[in-house]
Amino acid sequence: MISASIHIAYGHKYKGIEEYRARGSCHRCNQKKVRCSKTQPYKSCLKSNSECVFPGPSHTPQRKKRPLKAELISRLRSLEHKLREITQERGDPVSTTNSAAKNAHRVENKHSRLIMERDSTRYITHKILISLGNQIEELKGLVQSPGNIIIKDKDKKYLQNSNQFLFGYSSIASSLSAFHPSVRDSQILWKAFKKNVAPVIIIFHKPSLHRLLYKIATSSNYINRASEAVVFTVYFAAVTNISPEQCAEELSQDHSTLLQQYRFTTQQALARAGFLQSQNQTMLQAAVLFLTCLHRPGDAEFVWTITAAVYQLAQGLGLHRDGTHFELSPFKIELHRRLWWSIYLLDSQSSELHAIGTLISGSYYDTKLPLNINDSDLSPESTTSPDERIEFTEITFCLIRCEMTVLYRRSFLNAHPSNSEGHPSHLLDERLRQLEEIRTHLQNRYLQYCDTSIPAQWVTATVIRLALARSWLIAHLSQGTMRVRMPLIEISPEGPKRKQLFLTAIEVVEFAYLLETDPRTARWAWLFERYPQWHAVVFVLTELCGRGQSVETERAWTVLQKAIERWTQRDFHKGGITLKTVHHFLEKAAVAHARLGNDRIRELLTR
């Protein structure tokens, strides 16, 4: 009976029940979604008086097809690509690969690297430094705990107040009137500020600032705390940038003592006024000037950290939006712009020293550049904006700094061009095109009006030439060309382009050294010292490793020794990752040219 039923159900001659049992469950178990014993007949089928029928070969239920392995891999890759795009937009690391060597190791990817040694960690995003890191064994020693930085005894008192400043003092309720200078000393400090600081800083409107200082110097009994912070910051900036001899002769005081005093009073004034909770633009002006003029041991880390707070405060004040959006007066619009661009420059400078990306991105602000005018063209009572001058003005130098910094950041730091995945020459051509455009713009807008017999204008022309040469050099180095053992590996060692790059790098170092040491620029050397041209120095050193003795290499050694010696003498850069990188390649170049026995080289390497 059962055999007959199966034969009828299949519509063909019975071949043996085992052949079909192996194919699956009977029809009833398959419909009920229950386990089938695949015996003939199944107990449940007998109980329900149902036929126990197994499917034939053409009716065997098929499992649903699952995605093929290739399709799964394709989907995973697509998700990884989307995740990579999102994290790159945020500036986060995409992936990490760990490796360890002794006490140091790094976590790296294409655009960033995390260097860890003992209890210290340093995250860097500077493309050239990341590529250079491949030539330094695990970047060992490029990070340093603040506790390991050696500070001279004479600087300990100077630094001891930095951290307390963030949290205030127990004496914040006391008056600072005893620390205000006499009217005579106030005017001396003002003249020093006007000569050594104001020409290269665009934060204030000088006539208004002078009136404020004079008013407080003659009557400091009643003064709001924001204004007090400003005047003490001006005094600190002035003392920072005068010589010990001038301080003793004109102020009859020891320079280091006076410097310590005005740093304390500036920090005290900022703490008293609640700098970190402030919504006051005057307070932020004081803080930016203070950070811009710091250049003693340990200050680089302090400036970098507090700059982040300044940036947040600037956002809270709406400085990242142009003042014309808010119907401000022409005077307030101009000060609004000057303060924002001073923060922009501070962010660029501190980020460069730490080899990490900047806080401010080009897509986030629309604040225009300040007008190319003199301070006498504007006053708090102005009802209309003055016309820009077609000539060199008091603010021209700072405008050029801003424009060159914007070009550098857009082209080499924060940009991720869409064609960067194509041939490297396409990206290089685009960067060189942008560089030529800015060169033409600077020539037509500013440079043609520079009278190089005037120190400020000679400095401006020299800075333009230096900045253009540096940008041209970095445009080539940003192609990932500084590689292990063979920098610029795509270019023939004997090719004219490689020689041109080598000579340009030497020229950049020479210009930078000239700006720091020439008598015409001595008063502003404090600013230029904060911009070490380490890209050019490292490139020249790596080139020296593969070049023999020649006129060009002797020229390179002459300027390198002088430039690096000045760096190592400046406490502001000590312990920094860029200076340590320079020392590493200096040793390699000295070995290649048999100069390790040179007393001057040996002294530089031991500092």
Side-chain angles (χ1 to χ4, degrees), residues 66-168:
R66 296 181 178 178
L68 296 175
K69 182 178 180 181
E71 185 179 349
L72 284 171
I73 293 173
S74 176
R75 291 184 181 181
L76 283 172
R77 286 177 177 170
S78 177
L79 289 171
E80 288 174 354
H81 179 70
K82 290 179 180 178
L83 180 61
R84 187 177 296 111
E85 288 179 344
I86 293 171
T87 52
Q88 284 180 353
E89 288 175 3
R90 293 176 52 199
D92 298 337
V94 179
S95 63
T96 58
T97 304
N98 297 322
S99 62
K102 298 183 181 178
N103 294 325
H105 68 283
R106 69 187 181 216
V107 180
E108 62 180 292
N109 58 49
K110 184 178 179 181
H111 300 293
S112 63
R113 180 169 295 174
L114 188 67
I115 315 165
M116 291 173 280
E117 183 175 3
R118 297 184 181 89
D119 59 345
S120 297
T121 302
R122 172 65 61 85
Y123 177 72
I124 60 174
T125 59
H126 201 292
K127 293 180 182 178
I128 294 177
L129 189 56
I130 290 170
S131 65
L132 286 172
N134 297 327
Q135 303 181 52
I136 305 174
E137 183 184 354
E138 299 299 327
L139 292 171
K140 185 180 179 181
L142 291 190
V143 292
Q144 185 170 16
S145 172
N148 295 330
I149 298 175
I150 299 174
I151 298 174
K152 300 175 184 177
D153 291 338
K154 67 181 180 67
D155 296 315
K156 288 183 179 177
K157 289 184 179 180
Y158 177 86
L159 286 177
Q160 64 185 1
N161 299 327
S162 296
N163 290 327
Q164 293 94 320
F165 153 64
L166 294 177
F167 306 104

Side-chain angles (χ1 to χ4, degrees), residues 13 24 64 191 193 225 283 302 308 317 325 355 367 416 450 511 538 581:
K13 192 173 181 179
K64 293 181 179 180
K191 289 178 181 178
F193 177 85
R225 292 186 173 182
M283 178 66 63
F302 179 76
L317 293 175
H325 296 305
T367 305
H416 297 285
C450 287
F511 275 131
V538 169
T581 304

Side-chain angles (χ1 to χ4, degrees), residues 205-213 331 379-380:
H205 179 249
K206 291 189 292 297
S208 300
L209 181 61
H210 187 206
R211 287 193 294 269
L212 175 65
L213 262 70
F331 182 78
S379 73

Side-chain angles (χ1 to χ4, degrees), residues 171 194 199 221 241 243 325 329 379 397 511 528 555 561 605:
S171 61
K194 189 176 180 181
N221 294 328
N241 298 298
S243 66
H325 296 305
S329 69
S379 73
F397 173 78
F511 275 131
F528 303 129
R555 176 187 171 190
Q561 289 178 187
L605 292 173

Side-chain angles (χ1 to χ4, degrees), residues 522-542:
R523 71 186 78 166
W524 307 305
W526 65 272
L527 177 67
F528 303 129
E529 288 173 354
R530 298 184 64 165
Y531 290 88
Q533 302 300 324
W534 67 269
H535 308 83
V537 169
V538 169
F539 175 72
V540 172
L541 288 171
T542 55

